[in-house]
Amino acid sequence: MKVVTQIQEYRKLRPAMAVPVGFVPTMGYLHQGHLELVRRARAENQTVVVSIFVNPTQFGPQEDLASYPRDPERDLALLEKEGADMVFMPSAEEMYPEGFDSWVEVGRATERLEGAYRTGHFRGVATVVAKLFNIVQPTRAYFGQKDAQQLVVIKKMVSDLNLDLEVVAVPTVRESDGLAMSSRNIYLDPNERQAALVLWQVLSLAQELWQEGERDAERLRQEMTLFIDAEPLARIDYVSVADSSTLEELSRIEGAALVSMAAWIGKTRLIDNVMLDTK
Ligand code: PAF
């Protein structure tokens, strides 16, 4: 496995890579969710490239950029074991040199949900992902369904800007008790870790109500809010039942719906979602 930190060095190596090239962009501190993306990429491509870059432009001024967990040595050992061929690990200066001033803005899909609470977040995500796509030149790129809005935004960017690659969505990997894997779970103390189960429990409740025939989206949002409010350590940012491609809030569920939420558990903000779909 080769580790590359310079864009120019990667560019020299890219023409000799066996295609298709599968790409997994990450911010490091890898967990089973990331490794599942790498396994999918490994199974479907000749070459697997993983990037590790904690992207400063997607963090707000009050967010956890400085304290975001990092462990590059462990990450590299895990990637080697999964059979990744190349790891692109640039510095912030390499990606955003002095004077950098061009941005990718995806429209309405970035305004709701996470975008409404994290101003500028998706501008940072879309910009860095577009840059990474241009550098890595992948045939396919793999993203977790856990960040459902990120997936919608990236698919929209790829389609609107005619980027020549396929975006592959990979199901969320969960701990045995249902908590979605996230690098931020490390911030939770034992009581908060227990309280964090409310996310999966309430999403399962929404899924059950829908399976029993409930199609009133507002009723689902209300039931979910009541359920989360009963957990003293949880504070809701949003509970959403939205169209799975436009992310517009629904009043009635007719097609595929994305049920998503963000909640604070103590000082940690967690997100999770489930898709309600008859297919
Ligand atoms: O999902 C992430 O880890 C990040 O948002 C990504 C896609 C690597 C861009 O920095």
Side-chain angles (χ1 to χ4, degrees):
M1 186 177 78
K2 199 164 169 53
V3 180
V4 173
T5 58
Q6 307 288 314
I7 297 166
Q8 279 317 323
E9 188 189 355
Y10 182 90
R11 289 229 152 107
K12 280 193 199 130
L13 297 167
R14 178 62 184 83
M17 283 181 196
V19 290
V21 173
F23 175 45
V24 181
T26 82
M27 297 207 300
Y29 211 71
L30 305 178
H31 51 65
Q32 285 303 317
H34 297 110
L35 299 182
E36 193 53 34
L37 303 181
V38 177
R39 284 177 207 131
R40 254 310 269 286
R42 183 69 285 165
E44 296 175 359
N45 300 279
Q46 288 294 317
T47 304
V48 174
V49 180
V50 179
S51 66
I52 299 179
F53 179 61
V54 182
N55 174 36
T57 64
Q58 70 188 71
F59 288 78
Q62 311 301 328
E63 293 183 6
D64 56 344
L65 172 62
S67 60
Y68 195 81
R70 291 164 169 87
D71 193 346
E73 270 174 38
R74 181 174 163 275
D75 289 346
L76 292 177
L78 290 169
L79 292 174
E80 177 115 60
K81 224 162 124 199
E82 294 301 336
D85 298 294
M86 185 156 313
V87 180
F88 178 57
M89 235 168 113
S91 65
E93 295 70 36
E94 182 73 1
M95 291 297 277
Y96 298 108
E98 187 68 32
F100 178 91
D101 199 18
S102 299
W103 302 94
V104 179
E105 299 259 9
V106 180
R108 279 200 299 279
T110 66
E111 286 161 13
R112 316 166 197 286
L113 308 176
E114 287 302 284
Y117 285 85
R118 304 183 67 188
T119 315
H121 171 68
F122 286 115
R123 182 172 99 138
V125 170
T127 301
V128 81
V129 171
K131 281 170 69 70
L132 289 167
F133 286 171
N134 279 329
I135 297 163
V136 173
Q137 299 281 313
T139 321
R140 301 190 183 98
Y142 295 79
F143 293 88
Q145 183 61 41
K146 154 106 184 340
D147 294 301
Q149 188 176 11
Q150 172 168 280
L151 247 167
V152 169
V153 168
I154 288 165
K155 281 187 176 162
K156 185 86 180 108
M157 173 182 81
V158 165
S159 153
D160 285 354
L161 301 184
N162 309 100
L163 304 185
D164 191 15
L165 75 147
E166 184 193 341
V167 174
V168 182
V170 179
T172 303
V173 179
R174 298 180 180 280
E175 305 278 3
S176 55
D177 58 8
L179 182 69
M181 300 246 179
S182 162
S183 303
R184 291 188 168 103
N185 291 349
I186 185 140
Y187 299 145
L188 301 167
D189 72 22
N191 285 337
E192 292 168 346
R193 170 68 183 73
Q194 191 56 31
L197 289 180
V198 74
L199 278 86
W200 176 236
Q201 288 163 351
V202 80
L203 291 168
S204 304
L205 169 72
Q207 219 164 11
E208 268 165 44
L209 291 171
W210 177 79
Q211 271 156 2
E212 286 161 11
E214 183 59 75
R215 293 295 181 268
D216 181 339
E218 184 51 28
R219 163 97 208 287
L220 283 190
R221 286 187 286 265
Q222 279 167 3
E223 291 291 332
M224 289 175 70
T225 305
L226 280 174
F227 189 96
I228 303 162
D229 282 346
E231 168 50 65
L233 293 183
R235 184 167 58 78
I236 302 173
D237 262 359
Y238 63 82
V239 163
S240 159
V241 180
D243 179 279
S244 65
S245 44
T246 63
L247 302 181
E248 270 172 52
E249 287 303 319
L250 295 170
S251 48
R252 271 201 80 68
I253 305 173
E254 260 134 30
L258 177 72
V259 181
S260 66
M261 60 172 298
W264 290 89
I265 306 290
K267 290 199 175 79
T268 308
R269 187 173 182 280
L270 298 177
I271 59 171
D272 200 354
N273 68 81
V274 287
M275 193 69 86
L276 304 181
D277 197 352
T278 41
K279 277 183 237 138

